[in-house]
Amino acid sequence: MKRILILISFIVFLTSCASNEIVIQPNAPINFIAKTERKGDYTFIIPSNFQFLESESLIFEGNGVYRAYLIYKGEGYIQDLVNFFDREMPKNGWTKFSALIGRDALLSYKKDNQLIVIKIQYGLTNTYIKMILTR
């Protein structure tokens, strides 16, 4: 009887240790697929895994004028997103105007008389892309 209790205790001990083991694995890299967005007379690229948050964005449109503060959320590392925009925006005719990369990233692109300022930052559970479309 003692052997059975010891055997059961040993099995319980082993299974409890195995179930409490924490394994940390790095996130798999995300392949961004470019999606073309059209807002007013602006055409730009956004990663397809990012969702537009209409309720948190501000858009002014009137008398042929379009201004916007757009917010997108999704998953991705800041540097990977910077590389994505640097690669994809020129394909739509945008030229990089300036960049500031640190804890967050701040990028600006121009095309003709249009300007897009992009801020990339981490939230609690997602990465946010915030864009200002202006002239």
Side-chain angles (χ1 to χ4, degrees), residues 1-27:
M1 182 69 172
K2 275 186 171 183
R3 288 183 181 180
I4 293 175
L5 287 175
I6 291 173
L7 181 63
I8 290 173
S9 298
F10 185 71
I11 291 171
V12 168
F13 174 75
L14 285 179
T15 57
S16 68
C17 289
S19 64
N20 290 333
E21 184 178 334
I22 298 172
V23 177
I24 298 175
Q25 297 178 343
N27 293 335

Side-chain angles (χ1 to χ4, degrees), residues 79 82-83 85-86 95-102 104-109 115-120:
Q79 188 59 54
V82 168
N83 295 341
F85 284 112
D86 285 347
T95 304
K96 191 176 203 176
F97 185 68
S98 67
L100 180 61
I101 302 168
D104 300 333
L106 191 61
L107 311 169
S108 61
Y109 295 89
L115 180 66
I116 293 182
V117 179
I118 302 170
K119 182 176 185 180
I120 307 167

Side-chain angles (χ1 to χ4, degrees), residues 77-88:
Y77 295 114
I78 288 176
Q79 188 59 54
D80 293 342
L81 287 163
V82 168
N83 295 341
F84 169 82
F85 284 112
D86 285 347
R87 183 180 63 250
E88 298 296 333

Side-chain angles (χ1 to χ4, degrees), residues 2-82:
K2 275 186 171 183
R3 288 183 181 180
I4 293 175
L5 287 175
I6 291 173
L7 181 63
I8 290 173
S9 298
F10 185 71
I11 291 171
V12 168
F13 174 75
L14 285 179
T15 57
S16 68
C17 289
S19 64
N20 290 333
E21 184 178 334
I22 298 172
V23 177
I24 298 175
Q25 297 178 343
N27 293 335
I30 297 173
N31 276 338
F32 297 118
I33 298 171
K35 176 178 74 171
T36 302
E37 288 279 298
R38 288 180 179 80
K39 303 286 185 189
D41 56 344
Y42 288 79
T43 303
F44 55 92
I45 302 296
I46 198 82
S48 63
N49 69 318
F50 275 74
Q51 163 189 348
F52 177 56
L53 302 177
E54 188 173 358
S55 63
E56 296 181 31
S57 299
L58 301 169
I59 298 173
F60 172 79
E61 189 171 14
N63 298 330
V65 175
Y66 188 91
R67 301 289 184 272
Y69 176 67
L70 309 174
I71 301 176
Y72 296 84
K73 77 172 183 176
E75 289 187 32
Y77 295 114
I78 288 176
Q79 188 59 54
D80 293 342
L81 287 163
V82 168

